[in-house]
Amino acid sequence: MSDLKSLLEARRSVRAFTDEPVDIVRLTALIGAAARAPSGGNVQPWHVYLLAGERMTEFRALMQTRIADGQADTPEYPVYPAKLGEPYRSRRFKVGEDMYARLGIPREDKAKRLDWFARNWQFFDAPAGLFLFVGREMGAAQWSDLGMFLQSLMLLLVEEGLASCPQEAWAMHHSAVARFCNAPEDQMLFCGLAIGYEDRAHPVNDLRTTRAPLDEWLTIL
Ligand SMILES: Cc1cc2nc3c(=O)[nH]c(=O)nc-3n(C[C@H](O)[C@H](O)[C@H](O)COP(=O)(O)O)c2cc1C
């Protein structure tokens, strides 16, 4: 499978991975290739920190301690608008409900839902992961460039048989992430990306998200 339409259809957020390690050299090459993504003025505003192997083990342990201690940060940017109106609110609600249905966790079981959500901060046990930072001086236009980089990378990963999950959840632990990455103060964390081979036996990966019909958002003038 290598045609672009198939790759676009095959990419989805995968939230459970096998133990199979990811070849870091190969991964580095894909990250390099993703930088062919366009950016306004070719400023290429992305800063990427990649971790796997022992560093990943070390980071997971650090995060486990942090979560057990009840530590968390206030995100440095609004992950969603304070008032997410329709139709966006319902779309967000649906993907959450669909995911927890796959996991068999009902709405009332808040503790189990929170436990599952906390798996974000273990990179969903993926063998590799990265953090995407951007300069604090950058604005909405450059943040959109980050999205293009991210999607380019996720498609390249699919082409290599790898799976991924982008994660804004890391915004709730930006200080720990920045410290671990030794990121300079003038860089701000946007998101993480869990990377590995899909665990096809895990029910969470049965989730297939939908998209709004074209006529809800396309206007042909
Ligand atoms: C920038 C970005 C951040 C995201 N953050 C999270 C996250 O923190 N945790 C998570 O489980 N999924 C996260 N997602 C995945 C979205 O929920 C997912 O992309 C959306 O529901 C569409 O599903 P699909 O990726 O399977 O097509 C994120 C996606 C994007 C693009």
Side-chain angles (χ1 to χ4, degrees):
M1 176 188 45
S2 62
D3 70 287
L4 185 54
K5 190 154 180 283
S6 307
L7 292 174
L8 275 163
E9 274 162 17
R11 189 221 53 83
R12 58 197 161 73
S13 298
V14 161
R15 298 180 178 86
F17 298 85
T18 69
D19 293 337
E20 189 178 343
V22 177
D23 180 344
I24 282 295
V25 175
R26 195 68 209 121
L27 190 50
T28 306
L30 296 177
I31 292 168
R36 288 308 308 173
S39 55
N42 202 23
V43 296
Q44 306 159 67
W46 39 79
H47 295 272
V48 178
Y49 297 81
L50 175 63
L51 71 161
E54 276 176 26
R55 292 292 277 162
M56 177 61 99
T57 309
E58 195 187 320
F59 182 65
R60 269 201 242 283
L62 180 153
M63 282 308 301
Q64 248 160 17
T65 309
R66 191 174 154 88
I67 301 292
D69 290 351
Q71 294 179 58
D73 301 322
T74 302
E76 291 191 284
Y77 66 92
V79 174
Y80 295 101
K83 277 201 169 168
L84 188 65
E86 291 301 343
Y88 316 109
R89 190 173 173 275
S90 296
R91 292 176 187 164
R92 183 183 175 201
F93 182 79
K94 177 174 163 46
V95 74
E97 288 306 300
D98 288 353
M99 185 183 77
Y100 289 116
R102 293 293 173 292
L103 292 163
I105 310 177
R107 272 191 80 65
E108 313 77 69
D109 202 339
K110 297 267 184 277
K112 263 204 176 148
R113 285 194 171 200
L114 283 173
D115 277 354
W116 172 267
F117 190 78
R119 292 177 57 82
N120 266 290
W121 303 311
Q122 290 291 301
F123 272 120
F124 295 114
D125 292 337
L130 62 75
F131 291 112
L132 188 52
F133 281 71
V134 65
R136 289 183 187 278
E137 74 277 29
M138 299 298 180
Q142 290 74 43
W143 279 63
S144 86
D145 297 336
L146 298 185
M148 286 185 267
F149 173 84
L150 200 57
Q151 170 74 330
S152 301
L153 177 59
M154 291 190 292
L155 294 176
L156 288 163
L157 291 168
V158 175
E159 193 178 43
E160 290 279 312
L162 284 158
S164 64
C165 184
Q167 299 176 277
E168 280 162 337
W170 286 109
M172 290 172 70
H173 292 283
H174 62 84
S175 66
V177 172
R179 238 186 338 270
F180 190 83
C181 295
N182 206 15
E185 183 47 43
D186 62 358
Q187 287 180 15
M188 177 171 165
L189 176 67
F190 167 38
C191 69
L193 186 71
I195 302 170
Y197 293 95
E198 177 177 353
D199 177 355
R200 293 180 194 278
H202 198 292
V204 76
N205 290 334
D206 293 340
L207 175 65
R208 297 292 179 273
T209 56
T210 56
R211 296 294 185 267
L214 204 66
D215 62 7
E216 275 189 29
W217 50 269
L218 172 69
T219 306
I220 300 176
L221 301 172

